[in-house]
Amino acid sequence: MTITTTPWITADGTLMVNGKVLLTEVPSNVTVSPVESLSTSAAFLGATASVSSSRHCFSLGFLLECRFLCLYRFKIWWMQPSFGKEAHEIPMETQMLLLEVREESEVSLCSSTMSSSGNTFYVLLLPVLDGQFRTAMHGTPANELEFCVESGDAYVQTTGVAEAIFMNSGDNPFKLMKDSVKILETLKATFTHIEHKKKPVHLDWFGWCTWDALYMDVNALGIKKGLQSLSEGGFAPKLLIIDDGWQDVVNEFQKEGEAFVAGSQFACRLVDIKERYKFMRSGAEIGCHNLNDFVKLIKEDYGLKFVYVWHALSGYWGGLLPSSEKMKKYNPKIKYPCQSPCNTGNVRDIAMESLEKFGIGIIDPDKIYDFYNDYHSYLSSCSVDGVKVDVQNVLETMGGGYGGRVSLTRNYQHALEESVARNFRGNNVICCMCHNTDSIFSSKRSATARASEDYMPREPTLQTIHIASVAYNSFFLGEIAIPDWDMFQTKHGAAEFHGAARAVGGCAVYVSDEIGSHDFEVLKRLVLPDGSILRAKCAGRPTRDCLFVDPVADGKSLLKIWNLNALSGILGVFNCQGAGNWQLREESQNVARKMSGPLQITSQVTPLDIDLLCEVADEDWGGECAVYTFRSGSLCQIRKEGRFDVSLNTLQWEIFTISPVRVFVQDLRFAPIGLIDMYNSGGAVETLEGCISESPGKKIRVRVRGCGCFGAYSSRKPSGCLVDGNHEEFTYTGDNGLLVVQLKGFTLVYTNKPNMKLLSSMVQLEQWVAVQLMLACRLVDFRERNKFMRSGAEIGCHNLYDFVRLWIKARVNSNEIVWFFLLKRNYTKHGAAEFHGAARAVGGCAVYVSDEIGSHDFEVLKRLVLPDGSILRAKCAGRPTRDCLFVDPVADGKSLLKIWNLNALSGILGVFNCQGAGNWQLREESQNVARKMSGPLQITSQVTPLDIDLLCEVADEDWGGECAVYTFRSGSLCQIRKEGRFDVSLNTLQWEIFTISPVRVFVQDLRFAPIGLIDMYNSGGAVETLEGCISESPGKKIRVRVRGCGCFGAYSSRKPSGCLVDGNHEEFTYTGDNGLLVVQLKGFTLVYTNKPNMKLLSSMVQLEQWVAVQLMLACRLVDFRERNKFMRSGAEIGCHNLYDFVRLWIKARVNSNEIVWFFLLKRNYTKHGAAEFHGAARAVGGCAVYVSDEIGSHDFEVLKRLVLPDGSILRAKCAGRPTRDCLFVDPVADGKSLLKIWNLNALSGILGVFNCQGAGNWQLREESQNVARKMSGPLQITSQVTPLDIDLLCEVADEDWGGECAVYTFRSGSLCQIRKEGRFDVSLNTLQWEIFTISPVRVFVQDLRFAPIGLIDMYNSGGAVETLEGCISESPGKKIRVRVRGCGCFGAYSSRKPSGCLVDGNHEEFTYTGDNGLLVVQLKGFTLVYTNKPNMKLLSSMVQLEQWVAVQLMLACRLVDFRERNKFMRSGAEIGCHNLYDFVRLWIKARVNSNEIVWFFLLKRNYTKHGAAEFHGAARAVGGCAVYVSDEIGSHDFEVLKRLVLPDGSILRAKCAGRPTRDCLFVDPVADGKSLLKIWNLNALSGILGVFNCQGAGNWQLREESQNVARKMSGPLQITSQVTPLDIDLLCEVADEDWGGECAVYTFRSGSLCQIRKEGRFDVSLNTLQWEIFTISPVRVFVQDLCFAPIGLIDMYNSGGAVETLEGCISESPGKKIRVRVRGCGCFGAYSSRKPSGCLVDGNHEEFTYTGDNGLLVVQLKGECNRKDVDIVY
């Protein structure tokens, strides 16, 4: 027997596919028609009937058991998947059936020729369109497989169909589907595969849709607020979809004042193509009176690229209103829909039932194109860019009298597509409610279609259904259109679930957030700062192992969706189980819903899940992959066939970026991951180029789109990383090979010249002009201003700003060139203008002119400059041809100048006659042959394609040498071999340009060569790429990407059948004589907008800055016509403009210490009976905490337990999940179970117990099934609690944890100890709760046991504990350190009472309860002081200071209410200052002139005129801190300041934080009556030690006076303590490596110097409030036993802070010297073991003193306060 893959029916009625039995008892009227011309495995199934009818149902026989996936219409509008094994499980209206045929499913007649691994192959059945008939399938209870064909028109009948079902088989389901759709495309010619459609550009940009935000109340003002809300968060949408609600419709069935008529809202009819009055009613408030005004406004204000509007396929749900005068020309008629029996067999739809009742005003099919064209023409005139067309499937119910459903749908569909192509740029249409095959197989151009039922944020059970439906529907729809996953809301419990799914879906990303309700963290992972998205290449589809399982209801399967990027794959894994149910699926069939609580499911993941991963790998890929896990941020390597487990709870997800590893030289392995903070990390990677040689400095180059953290796998650590040629820091983790580098956005550097790389559009130009103008006006003294602007009054300009604004406005209005520079170096109105212009075109140079005012030749400019102001610049520098290199083209009288250059796909050759018109400088006239000849010289030269030296580089590799040569001035085209030649004759100052394009050869000997824009001098500069056909199939095409507009020309060896420009058919001319093909490319008008840089708006600080800067820009650049109306109500709150309003808003937030993030808090009420119940749940849930309290209605006690004073929360680490024993019980309705939720913190676990019984019932659960509700009154339920309820508690315990736990009960405040396996009872009434913090006990030395609890007043106490460090030695004074976040009561378990408790080094009182070991200490809070301080990193020069002053000044004036301003500036007139700006400018000028202090801040926090001023000053000197005072006016002690501050205003700050010495750590220097406080610090080359007597002058707060020993003693206390160099703990770090231990010690107050060994000691005696400072400098030993130690500026408290470096002699040569670099001026001191012979300061000899007794060397450093080199010569 011969086995064939083509389906066939045996004599006994068995349908065989690939040698296997698929159907038995196939009726004899069923036919099989193979498609042998295109496939050996495909065929059509048909059937015949004995009678003619408009509807037939045929049996295909009995389907043998095998797993299947089918897509069926559960509603008239939408498909969803269904799964099973038997035919009776196949629903009505099945439109796709995929069967999995395995060896074990049926005995094979013989071995298969195409079986894959496991002998599995797939059979696809697609019901299709056959003429005017449409097919759908279903199963019967007897397991028969049937199909129905129907026309939808009783008068369109047939007795049979031959091509009702398309059948094909193969071993790869995805390839099978793709190949099958392409075969159908060829055979049917009624639709187009997605690969052959133009993709709408909006797919790659972030969008916002109005539907779920505004619903039918959509209006202009609401839309503007929505755009503003997103923009303020840094995510300005680039796409806006104005959904249903904007059109002018009428409801004939709902009279005003009458009761609501159910369903009549769907019967509304369209009365006008223009927008309704209600939509624009609020537009007047923003200066918009119609749709055109509004769209232009929002595009300008928010940088929108695309605005789409919604309409139904029939105009509106109920069609057109026949009585409307404006609609009559489309001849609408009321018809009543008639649904197919197959539709009514599934879910009835309320909208459809309403339309059946009230009818539809259907448009005459002969007028439908006119309707769409009129509608879309109007929208286009309003700057609308595209349409979302809904309610499409309704046409299938209206076919009666119009030739049937298929004919009517196709008529409408093609008219729609034709109108869209004509009226909108690009294929800008989104099809919706179009899931019938009538529409699917009639889609010729539409490239985007909704893939599932609407996203419904208010239906929690439909969230997972939505994701699963789209994924499975995309298996089929993804071959016809790009699936649209619909909008979603970011402020939603399942927001990340939806966001992650869209990232893997390869779809557009647009949200429908309510105004002010956004989660920008979700958006950050989807949207780049420029508003674009990282969209995967294909339609996201389920993996092979998911195709035949139910990821929603089988209780065991995860949904895995795969896709591809340019160089990697992406795999999303989603747990959809238990959260919802398929419509039409009974609850009893939903296994997952029978299980209580979230379901944790485990599945395996393998790189092979990404079906086409090999397509993005190298040809020689070995199979190694790098796998990056998004949520954990981990990276691992795995073989492609390797597997690993993934476990997820319900509504949890994970994304894996799987990148094939590339192998480079020296076995270097590399795999780019992408932007690892984005869901689709790999979408950012565009290209990868690697080293192929063994040379050093080899590199791998990755082109990445976007900014953020770029990650990659590298088998070894790189030596460096460059981003755009600049070295950047990177991190490399050797364990897993993860390489991470930060790709920064760009920071504007403000200079007095524009950064031309930034000025690529008018938007950037306007921003630069505005910002630079403000800087200039602030920073530069424009002395020429009066002269420059003297004539400005004539044009209404009184300053430079007025002039620039006028200039910009004029340019925008006239569409002139937008580059902001002066045109120089050439005249277009000149006899040689074209000569010069042609030369610049071939020269590869910039083009700029210097025309006199009003004297221009625009014809010359048109040949050089495109309408957008760019030029067609050749690639190289224009150079003479080889034969011109050694001739004189100016003076020999016989040579022409030929200049060659290259473009992307062609060469350009300019020929110029330069003879006789001039002479070379320094060349005598007698040597000029050309000048001796009379009159213009006509010279002839030969031209050849070989004159273009590198022409082969822009030709194909197999180029045969044929060229197409276009002559610019004559407009002629010819073909010539590359070695061919022809003559050119030119007179003096004449020229010619030749575009020489290598001819490409395609299929069937089609020869083609692009010329370019033939009206431009450099025609070929417009051609960027060329793609041609490689198959013999009909409809082959050549695609050329062209930049610019005008006449495009090309050489074609034969006339084409058509020409499309951006997918639209355009007329063309073809000249058969020379093969010249010409088509007109039309231009467009640039719309200039002013949009914020959203990358800057990441915090409130940045928001404030943006508000101020943008406000100034707006006031400067944009005419806010709506301002008066917008602020009309502002007077009631004291706001007369937008600035007043913003300032008031900020002030209110700062004064009230409210949250500073700019969004609204929603989703919960604190003033609610169950508020604590909810609050406790959120504390254990590991989630965000936000409320939606009504204004003035709050319970702050609840908030205190959730929110810290700084506004942060104590969020647990994981997602809160039910405990194991709760997973399979019903905590809401079984009447006996408590809900226990567990989570983890850093060092403890948290367990929340909740009684949810009796207070509610599950949706879809009958009351009779709710046991708890049958019981009367609140239910007290008891359950057991154990530390083991916290499933991963061991992960936060020590490795050697013995199992002992400390358990803190929140509500009772009790603490107990229990073993981990121990249990105790908890009893709760309905809506009662309890939280347990369970902390593993740590064991330290001497069996000390300790367990931190946390902030015990907070619900999640343990969330405050970050780290724990304990003692490991037996030494006394051992301590345990806990790092705690927040303030309040900190609690812990301690097995014994501690001797003390320190908080940030300060002793605090504590309580200890011996019975249970509870230790409690109060952590005090602090008050935030809001300041506006400069970024000191910027203030490194006077220029930067000035900029800071100017910018900060503007910010201050905008953002802060300077209530003191009038008083502060009242006296300013006396010094010529009328405002703060004048004063600051005067201040800066005075400081610069006098070399005074340049730092601009106020001195605070200390008094120099105070009894303890020196005490404080000395302490600050040793403290390593900033120094600022708060002296009263005129009350200063400048002697104190002289010891702290250098003349230039800088201070000598020590390196570290000043800390007590070791021997002071455990004594009380304030109150024990015997201890001095010693504080140590380091400088560059020495240490500083401050000794202070703090005894007897005060007492610690919270310390009783009776405990203060020092205060009991009368009078000042003189205390003696010992000092040693070892008090400076790290002194050896500033000494030489071979330091012997000798030190020089300088005593500040006595001015004495001594030498001492590091272990030596001496006494210091001080009275109360006395102090001393010691500078201790390690002694360096140089040649001849010379010892030296620099002290520093000995008049300063911190003398050693002035010493920066020390260099000494190392040879025995005479004149040896030691050089010390010192900062500052004054007395410099040092220790020297012998007297030097001289001392030089900056090379000048200076006098010095030397004291032989102690070796003190002193030299005066005079002059300016800068760095000085002090040379000590011996």
Side-chain angles (χ1 to χ4, degrees), residues 57 221 329 347 505 601 655 740 822 863 996 1148 1209 1547 1663 1734:
C57 280
L221 187 58
K329 62 178 178 178
V347 175
I601 298 177
I655 288 181
V740 177
L822 299 178
R863 297 167 189 163
I996 302 177
I1209 62 169
I1547 63 170
N1663 283 333

Side-chain angles (χ1 to χ4, degrees), residues 1305-1584:
T1305 307
F1306 178 81
R1307 301 190 73 177
S1308 66
S1310 61
L1311 179 70
C1312 67
Q1313 292 77 51
I1314 190 175
R1315 295 284 305 164
K1316 62 181 179 182
E1317 60 276 5
R1319 295 177 178 274
F1320 56 91
D1321 288 339
V1322 177
S1323 295
L1324 298 173
N1325 283 334
T1326 300
L1327 284 178
Q1328 284 188 341
W1329 56 274
E1330 186 56 271
I1331 289 182
F1332 302 95
T1333 298
I1334 302 178
S1335 181
V1337 174
R1338 273 78 177 173
V1339 181
F1340 298 97
V1341 295
Q1342 298 178 351
D1343 198 32
L1344 169 62
R1345 300 188 307 285
F1346 187 86
I1349 303 300
L1351 295 179
I1352 57 178
D1353 294 333
M1354 305 292 286
Y1355 289 136
N1356 182 18
S1357 308
V1361 180
E1362 296 186 344
T1363 60
L1364 173 69
E1365 301 171 9
C1367 47
I1368 56 173
S1369 67
E1370 299 289 335
S1371 60
K1374 49 189 170 288
K1375 64 181 177 182
I1376 293 172
R1377 171 171 286 175
V1378 187
R1379 178 173 289 275
V1380 182
R1381 181 166 70 88
C1383 56
C1385 283
F1386 169 76
Y1389 163 72
S1390 175
S1391 60
R1392 59 178 182 265
K1393 183 176 180 179
S1395 58
C1397 182
L1398 293 86
V1399 178
D1400 284 342
N1402 301 318
H1403 282 277
E1404 296 289 344
E1405 293 186 357
F1406 63 92
T1407 63
Y1408 180 76
T1409 307
D1411 295 339
N1412 57 9
L1414 179 60
L1415 167 71
V1416 177
V1417 61
Q1418 186 71 30
L1419 308 185
K1420 301 171 185 173
F1422 57 90
T1423 302
L1424 289 175
V1425 179
Y1426 298 101
T1427 63
N1428 186 22
K1429 56 182 179 179
N1431 182 343
M1432 292 305 170
K1433 293 176 68 175
L1434 298 178
L1435 304 185
S1436 58
S1437 69
M1438 189 60 205
V1439 174
Q1440 291 166 313
L1441 174 68
E1442 291 178 16
Q1443 290 174 345
W1444 178 79
V1445 171
V1447 175
Q1448 290 301 95
L1449 180 64
M1450 290 184 288
L1451 288 180
C1453 293
R1454 300 285 174 174
L1455 298 180
V1456 181
D1457 183 6
F1458 282 107
R1459 288 169 293 180
E1460 72 279 12
R1461 189 173 186 180
N1462 292 335
K1463 296 179 182 179
F1464 178 74
M1465 290 311 306
R1466 189 171 291 159
S1467 61
E1470 300 177 18
I1471 52 173
C1473 300
H1474 305 288
N1475 52 45
L1476 183 59
Y1477 166 64
D1478 291 340
F1479 171 70
V1480 173
R1481 185 170 57 179
L1482 180 68
W1483 181 86
I1484 292 174
K1485 184 178 178 184
R1487 296 306 175 274
V1488 173
N1489 292 343
S1490 61
N1491 289 325
E1492 293 185 21
I1493 302 171
V1494 298
W1495 297 112
F1496 186 50
F1497 52 75
L1498 300 177
L1499 307 180
K1500 294 187 178 181
R1501 291 297 177 278
N1502 193 23
Y1503 289 96
T1504 60
K1505 206 73 170 181
H1506 187 276
E1510 286 206 80
F1511 197 81
H1512 281 282
R1516 280 153 178 78
V1518 78
C1521 60
V1523 175
Y1524 46 105
V1525 300
S1526 188
D1527 287 358
E1528 296 178 2
I1529 298 171
S1531 179
H1532 317 287
D1533 187 337
F1534 295 116
E1535 293 303 315
V1536 174
L1537 289 175
K1538 282 181 182 177
R1539 297 166 189 165
L1540 284 166
V1541 186
L1542 293 174
D1544 66 351
S1546 66
I1547 63 170
L1548 301 179
R1549 191 167 65 85
K1551 291 169 59 177
C1552 317
R1555 287 161 287 185
T1557 58
R1558 289 199 185 196
D1559 58 341
C1560 286
L1561 285 175
F1562 302 100
V1563 298
D1564 185 346
V1566 170
D1568 67 4
K1570 58 184 178 181
S1571 304
L1572 296 180
L1573 172 62
K1574 294 188 288 181
I1575 306 174
W1576 68 274
N1577 214 321
L1578 293 175
N1579 292 306
L1581 295 173
S1582 62
I1584 179 173

Side-chain angles (χ1 to χ4, degrees), residues 669-787:
R669 300 188 306 285
F670 187 88
I673 302 300
L675 295 179
I676 56 178
D677 294 331
M678 305 291 285
Y679 290 135
N680 182 18
S681 308
V685 179
E686 296 186 342
T687 60
L688 173 68
E689 301 171 9
C691 45
I692 56 174
S693 67
E694 299 289 336
S695 59
K698 49 189 170 289
K699 65 181 177 182
I700 293 173
R701 170 172 286 175
V702 187
R703 178 173 289 275
V704 182
R705 182 166 68 88
C707 56
C709 284
F710 169 75
Y713 162 71
S714 176
S715 59
R716 58 178 182 265
K717 183 176 181 179
S719 58
C721 182
L722 292 86
V723 178
D724 284 343
N726 301 318
H727 283 278
E728 295 289 341
E729 293 185 359
F730 64 91
T731 63
Y732 179 77
T733 306
D735 295 339
N736 57 10
L738 179 59
L739 167 71
V740 177
V741 61
Q742 187 72 29
L743 307 185
K744 302 171 186 171
F746 59 86
T747 301
L748 290 175
V749 178
Y750 300 104
T751 65
N752 280 334
K753 57 181 179 179
N755 181 345
M756 289 304 171
K757 293 177 68 177
L758 299 179
L759 304 186
S760 58
S761 70
M762 188 61 206
V763 175
Q764 292 164 314
L765 174 68
E766 291 179 17
Q767 292 175 345
W768 179 81
V769 170
V771 175
Q772 292 300 98
L773 181 64
M774 289 185 291
L775 289 180
C777 294
R778 301 281 177 175
L779 300 180
V780 182
D781 182 6
F782 283 106
R783 286 170 294 181
E784 73 279 10
R785 190 173 185 181
N786 291 338
K787 295 180 181 179

Side-chain angles (χ1 to χ4, degrees), residues 809-1050:
K809 185 178 179 183
R811 295 307 175 275
V812 173
N813 291 344
S814 61
N815 291 327
E816 291 184 22
I817 300 171
V818 297
W819 295 112
F820 187 46
F821 51 71
L822 299 178
L823 307 180
K824 294 187 178 181
R825 293 297 178 276
N826 193 23
Y827 289 96
T828 59
K829 207 73 168 183
H830 188 275
E834 288 207 78
F835 197 80
H836 281 280
R840 280 154 179 79
V842 79
C845 60
V847 174
Y848 46 104
V849 299
S850 188
D851 287 357
E852 296 177 0
I853 298 171
S855 180
H856 317 285
D857 187 338
F858 295 116
E859 292 303 315
V860 174
L861 288 175
K862 282 182 183 176
R863 297 167 189 163
L864 284 165
V865 186
L866 293 175
D868 65 352
S870 65
I871 62 170
L872 301 179
R873 191 167 65 85
K875 291 169 60 176
C876 317
R879 287 161 285 186
T881 59
R882 290 198 186 195
D883 58 340
C884 287
L885 285 175
F886 303 100
V887 299
D888 184 348
V890 170
D892 69 3
K894 59 184 178 181
S895 304
L896 295 180
L897 172 62
K898 295 189 287 182
I899 305 173
W900 68 275
N901 213 322
L902 293 175
N903 291 307
L905 295 172
S906 62
I908 179 174
L909 183 69
V911 186
F912 303 85
N913 187 341
C914 306
Q915 299 285 349
N919 195 24
W920 298 110
Q921 294 187 47
L922 296 181
R923 171 73 65 87
E924 295 180 7
E925 280 290 325
S926 59
Q927 296 175 298
N928 192 323
V929 176
R931 298 275 279 202
K932 296 178 182 179
M933 303 177 184
S934 61
L937 304 183
Q938 187 180 52
I939 299 177
T940 301
S941 182
Q942 284 195 320
V943 167
T944 170
L946 293 178
D947 281 334
I948 299 173
D949 209 75
L950 302 176
L951 187 62
C952 59
E953 291 192 359
V954 297
D956 289 345
E957 292 184 4
D958 56 354
W959 179 43
E962 185 181 4
C963 299
V965 180
Y966 181 79
T967 307
F968 178 81
R969 301 191 71 178
S970 66
S972 61
L973 180 71
C974 67
Q975 292 76 51
I976 190 175
R977 295 284 305 164
K978 63 181 179 182
E979 58 277 3
R981 296 176 178 273
F982 55 91
D983 289 339
V984 177
S985 295
L986 298 173
N987 284 333
T988 300
L989 284 179
Q990 284 189 339
W991 57 275
E992 187 56 271
I993 289 181
F994 302 95
T995 298
I996 302 177
S997 182
V999 174
R1000 273 80 176 170
V1001 181
F1002 297 98
V1003 295
Q1004 298 178 350
D1005 198 32
L1006 170 62
R1007 301 188 305 285
F1008 187 87
I1011 303 300
L1013 296 179
I1014 57 178
D1015 295 332
M1016 305 292 286
Y1017 290 136
N1018 182 18
S1019 309
V1023 179
E1024 297 186 343
T1025 60
L1026 173 69
E1027 301 171 9
C1029 46
I1030 55 175
S1031 67
E1032 299 289 335
S1033 61
K1036 49 189 168 289
K1037 64 181 177 183
I1038 293 173
R1039 172 173 285 176
V1040 187
R1041 180 175 288 275
V1042 182
R1043 181 166 70 88
C1045 55
C1047 284
F1048 170 76

